[in-house]
């Protein structure tokens, strides 16, 4: 059996945005009176949808609510930083080109907003490798990872059995979502403790995107 679809997470897998976005989120929450370190941000928010930030603040601070317009303001800070400090993950463009050469279908499924995804892809030059109909956001289903809904939506839209999908993820929440969807998922360990990805149920681990073609060959 071969994989019929490769599903990429975006932040941390295709674009190297996690250090930048988590630093800015920690700084912004701290400014608002909710002390947060970058380590806290990685632990609590990496791989989740935007509403998770609101949920965590409410849980920890007796129902506190972030100011109206928080998401837009935060995204504005991130997009400004993207313009000068964002690059593609090493090997991402080469991998997309290799999948195209092999005629292996692929798509992107991210908990981020559509505007965030496109800003990141435009800045890094990867946008041309992803057709509009193959970009999926948690906005499309109303819930982010670790729920499986986003991955199932992507597979269903593209007409692929979940069991024939290979997911590439760098967060435990993403791994949990893929496993709940019945998909194989390899954890990318560049920023995440491999033990956490394994504990979440990763099928296997990769340290470099150059390892992915071998995964496709192994499934044949």
């Amino acid at each position: 059996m071969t994989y019929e679809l490769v599903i990429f997470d975006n932040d941390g897998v295709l674009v190297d945005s996690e250090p930048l976005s988590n630093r800015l989120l920690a700084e912004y929450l701290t400014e608002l009176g909710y002390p947060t370190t970058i380590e806290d941000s990685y632990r609590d928010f990496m791989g989740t949808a935007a509403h998770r930030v609101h949920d965590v603040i409410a849980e920890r601070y007796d129902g506190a609510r972030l100011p109206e317009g928080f998401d837009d303001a935060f995204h504005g800070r991130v997009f400004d930083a993207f313009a000068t400090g964002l690059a593609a993950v090493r090997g991402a463009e080469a991998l997309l080109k290799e999948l195209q050469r092999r005629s292996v279908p692929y798509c992107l499924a991210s908990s981020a907003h559509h505007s965030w995804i496109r800003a990141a892809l435009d800045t890094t030059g990867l946008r041309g490798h992803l057709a509009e109909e193959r970009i999926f956001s948690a906005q499309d289903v109303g819930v982010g990872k670790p729920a499986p809904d986003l991955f199932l939506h992507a597979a269903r839209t593209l007409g692929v059995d979940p069991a024939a999908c290979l997911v590439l993820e760098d967060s435990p929440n993403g791994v949990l979502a893929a496993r709940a969807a019945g998909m194989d998922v390899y954890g990318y360990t560049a920023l995440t403790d491999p033990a956490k990805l394994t504990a979440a149920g990763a099928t296997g681990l990769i340290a470099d995107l150059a390892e992915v073609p071998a995964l496709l060959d192994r499934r044949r």
Side-chain angles (χ1 to χ4, degrees):
M1 182 177 181
T2 60
Y3 289 116
E4 298 176 16
L5 180 66
V6 177
I7 304 179
F8 290 92
D9 178 42
N10 190 44
D11 296 293
V13 175
L14 289 179
V15 300
D16 193 19
S17 55
E18 293 290 7
L20 185 155
S21 60
N22 280 282
R23 174 178 59 80
L24 291 174
L25 179 56
E27 290 175 354
Y28 192 16
L29 290 174
T30 300
E31 286 176 23
L32 294 172
Y34 309 109
T36 305
T37 66
I38 189 170
E39 291 78 16
D40 295 333
S41 185
Y42 275 124
R43 182 192 66 231
D44 297 332
F45 307 124
M46 185 173 170
T48 64
H51 67 78
R52 173 66 178 161
V53 180
H54 298 263
D55 295 343
V56 168
I57 295 301
E59 290 166 6
R60 292 184 181 164
Y61 293 93
D62 298 321
R65 298 182 63 182
L66 293 169
E68 186 175 350
F70 171 85
D71 290 345
D72 288 340
F74 172 55
H75 288 173
R77 293 185 182 204
V78 171
F79 295 167
D80 287 344
F82 276 0
T84 57
L86 184 64
V89 168
R90 184 185 65 178
E93 184 170 24
L95 175 55
L96 296 178
K97 288 180 177 179
E98 176 63 11
L99 294 179
Q100 293 165 22
R101 187 188 71 80
R102 294 181 177 217
S103 298
V104 176
Y106 62 86
C107 69
L108 180 160
S110 169
S111 284
H113 287 189
H114 276 292
S115 59
W116 177 300
I117 297 168
R118 284 159 178 75
L121 294 176
D122 286 341
T123 301
T124 57
L126 296 180
R127 180 77 173 274
H129 296 288
L130 283 144
E132 283 295 313
E133 64 271 16
R134 292 182 175 266
I135 298 175
F136 301 95
S137 161
Q139 283 183 295
D140 301 332
V141 294
V143 62
K145 306 163 190 175
D149 304 48
L150 176 58
F151 287 134
L152 292 172
H153 170 64
R156 183 169 55 250
T157 300
L158 297 176
V160 179
D161 184 336
C165 295
L166 169 64
V167 178
L168 300 176
E169 269 286 354
D170 70 328
S171 75
N173 282 318
V175 171
L176 289 168
R179 296 304 289 166
M183 300 176 177
D184 282 356
V185 53
Y186 276 74
Y188 180 49
T189 62
L191 289 174
T192 308
D193 180 352
K196 293 183 178 179
L197 296 170
T198 299
T203 308
L205 303 173
I206 58 171
D208 193 298
L209 294 181
E211 299 173 52
V212 174
L215 303 179
L216 304 178
D217 293 335
R218 191 181 307 163
R219 187 73 184 278
R220 291 176 181 172

